[in-house]
Amino acid sequence: MKAIQIVAPGRIELIDLPMPPLGAGQIRLRVQYVGFCGSDLNTFKGLNPLALMPVIPGHEIGAVIDDVGLGVPSNFTAGMPATVNPYTSCGQCAACENGRAYACEFNQTLGVQRHGAMASYIVVPWEKVIVDAAISVRDFALVEPMSVGFHAVDRGAVTDSDCVLVFGCGMIGVGAIIRAARRGASVIAVDVGDEKLALARRLGAAYTINSSKEDLEGRIAAITGGRGADVVIEAVGRPETYTASIAAAAFTGRVVYIGYAKEKIPFETQFFVKKELDIRGSRNATASDFKAVMAYLKTGNCPIDELITAVITPEEAQSALERWSNNPGDVFRILVQF
C-alpha cells in the first residue's frame, strides 16, 4: 500500500508498505483524507524535536472502516465513516492519575512520536475509533484540529459573560473562536491576514484586528473599554503573541497557550502578579471536545469548504509542503486524498 514518509528535513518520499495485519480488538481503516497540520510542517522543516525521523505523518483522519478484529463491539461495522483519537496515555503518570489522560506525560501522537495515518490503510485499537454516519469522511478530517481549539476554550472556562481574544485564525484558532462564540462570549479575533479575519467574523467573532496594519493595544482598549480581555487564547506560538497575550488580558484574567513557541521568551513577570493572572497550557483534546466539534459540524453552519485550502494527491505532498513553508499565512488546511 502507498504511504507518505518525511525522511529528512525538506524531503518527502512515497513508500510502499504491506497491508497492516488486523488483530483482536483492532479496527482496520481505509484512509481517504488526512490533514497536514502545523506539527507536520515543522517536522518537514526540521523544527519538531518531538518527531520520529523518518516518520509517516498524519493524525487528522477521515476514513472508512475496512474490517474489524475479534472482540470489537458490534456497533463498529465495515463501511462506516470514522476518525481517530490519535493520542496515547500510559495510565500511570500524574496527568493520567488526575483524569487528564489526553495530556499524558508519555503521550505518543500519531504522526509525531509514532508513525501516523498518511497511508492507504491503518490499524488502531477500537477504543480510538470514532464513528458517526451523519458526518462525511472528508469532514471527519477536520474534527481533531478543531477539537484542539475547542479544548482551549474549555481550559479558559469561557462563559457567556466573557470577552475572549484569540490570537491566530488558523484551523486551531478557528476552533477556539467557534466554541467561544457558541458559549455566548464576545470574541475578538487577531491575525495578520484579512481573509482569515473575514472568515473569523463569519464563524462568530464580533471584532477583528489585523495586527500588521492596526494598533493592537489601542484597538483592544477601544473594544474592551480599557479593561482588557477576560480570556486570551494564544494559537500562534510566536514570542510576540506570547507576550502580547499577557498585555491583552484583563486584571484577574485567564491566558491559555496552545501554540508552541520555539524560542525562549522574556516576560515582564510583574504583570503575572499585578493582574493575578491564571496562566494555563492547553494540550490536545478530550473525548467531549471531539463530540462537541461533531455536534457543531452536524448543524450545517460551518463553511467547511472555506477551511480546506487544497485537496492534493500523495504525489503532490512534497510541493504542497514547500509552498506552505514559503507562504505560511495562506493555508488553513491541506488534505491529502488517498
Side-chain angles (χ1 to χ4, degrees):
M1 68 174 188
K2 184 182 296 184
I4 292 171
Q5 189 170 57
I6 301 174
V7 296
R11 189 157 64 91
I12 281 177
E13 289 183 359
L14 287 183
I15 60 174
D16 188 57
L17 297 175
M19 179 74 76
L22 180 64
Q26 295 181 326
I27 293 177
R28 185 165 58 218
L29 297 171
R30 179 166 54 86
V31 177
Q32 293 189 1
Y33 295 92
V34 189
F36 269 127
C37 76
S39 62
D40 298 323
L41 179 63
N42 283 330
T43 301
F44 178 75
K45 294 167 69 174
L47 299 176
N48 189 348
L50 300 178
L52 179 72
M53 187 67 77
V55 66
I56 297 171
H59 54 260
E60 303 174 357
I61 301 163
V64 171
I65 292 179
D66 178 66
D67 201 359
V68 300
L70 293 175
V72 173
S74 60
N75 57 304
F76 295 98
T77 58
M80 297 179 74
T83 192
V84 175
N85 182 323
Y87 322 123
T88 65
S89 55
C90 71
Q92 298 177 339
C93 71
C96 291
E97 288 184 350
N98 289 331
R100 292 158 70 176
Y102 59 88
C104 174
E105 180 180 358
F106 305 104
N107 165 65
Q108 292 189 329
T109 299
L110 282 172
V112 185
Q113 297 97 338
R114 58 190 173 125
H115 289 309
M118 286 203 178
S120 301
Y121 292 86
I122 59 171
V123 169
V124 295
W126 72 263
E127 294 92 343
K128 294 295 184 181
V129 178
I130 302 166
V131 295
D132 193 319
I135 297 179
S136 73
V137 178
R138 184 200 66 170
D139 295 356
F140 254 136
L142 303 180
V143 169
E144 191 276 342
M146 200 176 288
S147 73
V148 175
F150 270 48
H151 182 62
V153 171
D154 215 38
R155 289 285 293 145
V158 171
T159 71
D160 58 0
S161 64
D162 286 324
C163 173
V164 178
L165 186 148
V166 179
F167 279 108
C169 296
M171 193 66 189
I172 291 172
V174 157
I177 291 165
I178 292 167
R179 194 173 210 186
R182 282 171 65 80
R183 288 192 175 185
S186 176
V187 180
I188 306 169
V190 181
D191 202 281
V192 296
D194 288 331
E195 289 186 10
K196 289 185 176 180
L197 291 169
L199 179 58
R201 274 193 177 271
R202 293 196 292 278
L203 293 170
Y207 308 94
T208 56
I209 303 172
N210 187 321
S211 57
S212 69
K213 301 176 181 179
E214 302 176 75
D215 174 9
L216 178 64
E217 291 187 9
R219 287 278 283 126
I220 293 171
I223 292 167
T224 66
R227 184 173 179 273
D230 301 294
V231 181
V232 180
I233 296 174
E234 199 283 343
V236 179
R238 294 288 304 155
E240 54 267 35
T241 48
Y242 256 69
T243 54
S245 296
I246 301 299
F251 274 66
T252 70
R254 287 97 73 196
V255 178
V256 182
Y257 289 113
I258 315 173
Y260 281 92
K262 311 303 183 297
E263 306 92 337
K264 291 183 178 180
I265 302 172
F267 283 102
E268 292 189 54
T269 55
Q270 60 171 313
F271 294 116
F272 295 9
V273 179
K274 284 183 177 180
K275 292 186 176 184
E276 198 178 42
L277 297 176
D278 289 336
I279 301 174
R280 306 174 182 181
S282 183
R283 184 182 183 192
N284 298 333
T286 67
S288 62
D289 297 319
F290 275 74
K291 290 179 181 178
V293 171
M294 291 161 62
Y296 167 67
L297 292 178
K298 287 189 285 187
T299 67
N301 295 324
C302 181
I304 291 172
D305 289 342
E306 296 183 55
L307 300 179
I308 300 172
T309 305
V311 179
I312 65 170
T313 65
E315 289 78 10
E316 296 173 299
Q318 174 79 34
S319 59
L321 283 186
E322 288 175 353
R323 288 195 301 273
W324 189 9
S325 182
N326 293 329
N327 302 282
D330 295 342
V331 172
F332 273 108
R333 263 308 168 270
I334 296 170
L335 299 184
V336 181
Q337 183 175 16
F338 282 84

